[in-house]
Amino acid sequence: MTEQSLPACLTLSALSGCMGVLATAVLAYPDAQAKKGNEFGKCAQRMAVLLSLLFQLGIAGTSITATWYGPVSLVVPTSSSAQLLFNMLMFGVVLGLEKFMKDMRVGAYVVALAAILLPVVGPGIQEDQDIQALLMKIGSIIWSAILLASMCISGVGLAVSNMRRKRGVEQTSQMFAFNLIVQTTAAVVGTTVSKMFVLVEGAALGVSLAIWIISSLLLVYATVLQATTVSQAKFVPLSVGTKITCNMVTGIIIWEDWRVVTSWIGYVCVFLYLMLGNYLLCEVDVFGTSNAAYGTAATLDKMKSVVFDPIVLLDENVTTAGIGVDDLTSSDEENPPHAAGTRKLAREKETPGTASGVWWNAYNVDRKEAKKEEEGDKDTEELNATQPCHLTSIGKGTVGEEGSNS
């Protein structure tokens, strides 16, 4: 058992986060230059891949040793916070591949300050933990199964999406989601099993090593794809947020961090700071009114469609059943039961400009058009009735000609 040391744990964790940025940057820069027409040679591209793999090995080494010196729940937040700051420095200042606005810079500073406070208010060091007893708990078994299943399924999904992307099929959203899940679960699983290297032996050590190898390979594969398929300004903050949250849950469920938390209020507030900092780092205002997918305006539009689309469909069904507009206020015996809701709505006076008012105005336009068509049909029938009838007798001419011949 390695002697616990928080300074060593935090230093190695921060170094791991910086190496993660470097592993992505050495691949992202040649790809960005190639899109501008400055194609790198084959040798330079191979060198970039080799450097990325070396940095990935550095991540593995530093993250493993960091878990030996301190709690797992401190390793991932510290590594992720260092990754955020170094990502902003590398991609925004050094390489100039991404633009980080003022609110994004403030978000990075908030995350860094929260990471500094985390060791003060968060879980401390636990000596001589019985890892087998911890893993045999029902909660640990369920949570471990969820992590492993999510990691494997998302890894397969990422590989399939990448193959479809190479064939020219649009897979941006799918690859973003699968990459996010792979990196989150693989990072948490790898960190958890790496701590077990100094706590178990025999067959348990072999299983832990096998799981760590699988998670590391998936993490390397996802990181390589991250460099060329997603926006770093969008992906890194979301990735950090999901890793921190998932790691916190893992620490509480598996490692029983709840036993050594210094201040629960401070611990919760620090994680809220981490989430708010990551939200500031996102270049898209997820819940703002201008967001087309999740903003307030889009949410209201979805609510309107949910409420009023069935009403319009019901009115179409009523019209199809042969019920005229004037029949909407008649008794229930004269109309089918499903027309009751439409009759009730027809009696209401809606305010123009509201959602229901918009539907009401459209409904009135449809009523007027239906009346015009009905009146036009009646006029045509009356006109035909007043004109003389010229019937043709088969093989004998008209009826009038028959009378003259007789």
Side-chain angles (χ1 to χ4, degrees):
M1 180 68 182
T2 306
E3 183 180 354
Q4 303 286 280
S5 172
L6 280 181
C9 174
L10 298 176
T11 302
L12 291 169
S13 301
L15 187 59
S16 174
C18 294
M19 287 187 177
V21 176
L22 291 174
T24 304
V26 295
L27 295 177
Y29 183 73
D31 182 72
Q33 292 299 315
K35 292 178 180 178
K36 295 180 180 179
N38 304 322
E39 189 74 28
F40 277 51
K42 295 294 183 181
C43 182
Q45 294 178 8
R46 294 191 186 98
M47 184 61 66
V49 174
L50 179 60
L51 285 175
S52 179
L53 292 176
L54 290 176
F55 283 126
Q56 291 286 350
L57 292 176
I59 295 171
T62 52
S63 61
I64 288 175
T65 52
T67 59
W68 297 349
Y69 291 99
V72 173
S73 54
L74 295 182
V75 174
V76 174
T78 304
S79 175
S80 301
S81 301
Q83 183 183 7
L84 278 177
L85 290 174
F86 198 60
N87 179 76
M88 184 174 62
L89 176 64
M90 179 60 64
F91 284 90
V93 179
V94 178
L95 301 180
L97 300 180
E98 302 278 355
K99 291 183 179 180
F100 296 89
M101 308 305 293
K102 179 180 178 181
D103 53 348
M104 301 174 72
R105 297 195 300 270
V106 172
Y109 304 148
V110 170
V111 171
L113 292 175
I116 294 173
L117 290 174
L118 185 59
V120 179
V121 299
I125 294 174
Q126 298 189 71
E127 300 284 355
D128 301 326
Q129 286 185 303
D130 187 354
I131 185 62
Q132 293 183 352
L134 293 175
L135 292 177
M136 291 306 295
K137 297 184 302 181
I138 298 298
S140 299
I141 294 174
I142 295 175
W143 182 244
S144 300
I146 293 174
L147 288 177
L148 291 173
S150 301
M151 182 181 70
C152 296
I153 294 173
S154 58
V156 174
L158 182 62
V160 173
S161 297
N162 187 44
M163 289 188 293
R164 290 171 60 85
R165 179 183 67 88
K166 291 181 178 180
R167 292 198 298 265
V169 181
E170 177 63 31
Q171 294 288 300
T172 303
S173 301
Q174 292 86 340
M175 293 199 67
F176 191 99
F178 283 131
N179 204 321
L180 183 65
I181 299 173
V182 169
Q183 292 206 30
T184 300
T185 54
V188 174
V189 169
T191 305
T192 299
V193 297
S194 62
K195 188 177 181 64
M196 296 170 58
F197 291 166
V198 294
L199 298 176
V200 297
E201 57 185 13
L205 179 59
V207 173
S208 301
L209 184 60
I211 295 176
W212 179 83
I213 292 174
I214 295 174
S215 64
S216 298
L217 291 176
L218 287 174
L219 190 58
V220 170
Y221 179 66
T223 303
V224 171
L225 291 180
Q226 172 196 336
T228 57
T229 59
V230 299
S231 170
Q232 307 306 314
K234 294 179 182 179
F235 184 86
V236 173
L238 287 176
S239 176
V240 169
T242 54
K243 287 177 183 176
I244 290 175
T245 304
C246 190
N247 185 76
M248 179 188 68
V249 176
T250 303
I252 293 175
I253 295 178
I254 296 180
W255 297 104
E256 295 185 344
D257 286 345
W258 52 271
R259 295 181 180 273
V260 289
V261 172
T262 306
S263 170
W264 274 105
I265 295 178
Y267 191 45
V268 173
C269 288
V270 162
F271 272 96
L272 289 177
Y273 287 147
L274 290 171
M275 294 299 103
L276 289 174
N278 279 280
Y279 180 67
L280 286 172
L281 279 164
C282 292
E283 65 179 18
V284 178
D285 190 3
V286 180
F287 301 105
T289 56
S290 60
N291 187 280
Y294 306 105
T296 307
T299 303
L300 290 176
D301 289 339
K302 292 176 182 177
M303 292 174 63
K304 292 175 185 177
S305 64
V306 170
V307 173
F308 293 104
D309 284 354
I311 297 177
V312 176
L313 180 62
L314 177 61
D315 177 67
E316 292 176 354
N317 292 336
V318 172
T319 306
T320 305
I323 301 174
V325 176
D326 296 333
D327 296 332
L328 291 176
T329 56
S330 60
S331 62
D332 289 352
E333 290 77 8
E334 299 175 359
N335 296 302
H338 62 267
T342 311
R343 289 196 302 274
K344 180 179 179 181
L345 181 64
R347 290 194 296 265
E348 295 178 356
K349 295 181 179 179
E350 303 294 346
T351 304
T354 62
S356 54
V358 172
W359 178 87
W360 179 253
N361 292 334
Y363 180 77
N364 284 334
V365 171
D366 293 339
R367 285 204 316 178
K368 292 177 181 179
E369 292 179 354
K371 281 187 174 181
K372 287 181 180 179
E373 293 180 359
E374 185 178 355
E375 291 174 357
D377 293 339
K378 289 181 179 179
D379 294 339
T380 302
E381 292 177 359
E382 293 176 357
L383 182 61
N384 293 335
T386 57
Q387 292 178 352
C389 181
H390 300 281
L391 297 177
T392 303
S393 178
I394 299 175
K396 294 186 179 180
T398 62
V399 175
E401 291 173 351
E402 280 186 41
S404 59
N405 292 334
S406 60

